[in-house]
Amino acid sequence: MVIMHDFQAVFVVALGVVAVIGLMAWHFSRSRLVLEQWAAKQGFQILHSEYRNLFRGPFFWTTSRGQTVYYVRVRDRRGIERSGWVRCGGWFFGLMTNKAEVRWEDEI
């Protein structure tokens, strides 16, 4: 009886770890997909991107837990390069939405 209880506890913990890892993998891959779709739609080539967890630039106080922020350097079709912050996801539904919002460094 004790062995069965221990097995169940180990199983529940293992299931929890797998769920957390799966959610984290989805979070980062979905976030990256939203960023790449934004860049493609705007005609940008992403030259560099940094996931920003703590310092979120102009989005610091207004970003919900379900959103992500990247600091990016992009090149447009004319070859002009710009840097700025891109917030991925909507405020309420987070990364379940395809929304992306940019604040350019030279406009802040």
Side-chain angles (χ1 to χ4, degrees):
M1 198 66 150
V2 172
I3 294 172
M4 185 57 130
H5 180 70
D6 289 345
F7 175 75
Q8 289 173 339
V10 169
F11 180 75
V12 168
V13 169
L15 190 61
V17 168
V18 169
V20 167
I21 291 171
L23 285 172
M24 287 177 65
W26 177 84
H27 175 84
F28 288 110
S29 65
R30 176 71 180 141
S31 177
R32 186 69 191 181
L33 178 64
V34 171
L35 178 68
E36 290 172 356
Q37 287 177 340
W38 164 82
K41 186 176 181 182
Q42 300 301 317
F44 294 136
Q45 174 188 7
I46 299 173
L47 303 175
H48 180 75
S49 65
E50 297 174 22
Y51 178 83
R52 293 294 181 98
N53 194 28
L54 295 177
F55 181 68
R56 296 176 177 178
F59 297 120
F60 183 76
W61 294 107
T62 59
T63 300
S64 71
R65 290 188 58 142
Q67 294 174 300
T68 59
V69 176
Y70 286 89
Y71 183 75
V72 298
R73 181 146 190 88
V74 298
R75 180 182 300 131
D76 69 13
R77 291 181 181 114
R78 298 175 295 169
I80 298 171
E81 294 183 13
R82 292 182 88 178
S83 295
W85 289 265
V86 179
R87 176 168 52 192
C88 301
W91 191 85
F92 189 74
F93 289 108
L95 292 171
M96 300 287 257
T97 64
N98 291 326
K99 184 177 179 182
E101 181 181 358
V102 64
R103 297 278 166 79
W104 297 113
E105 197 170 68
D106 56 7
E107 294 177 356
I108 296 175

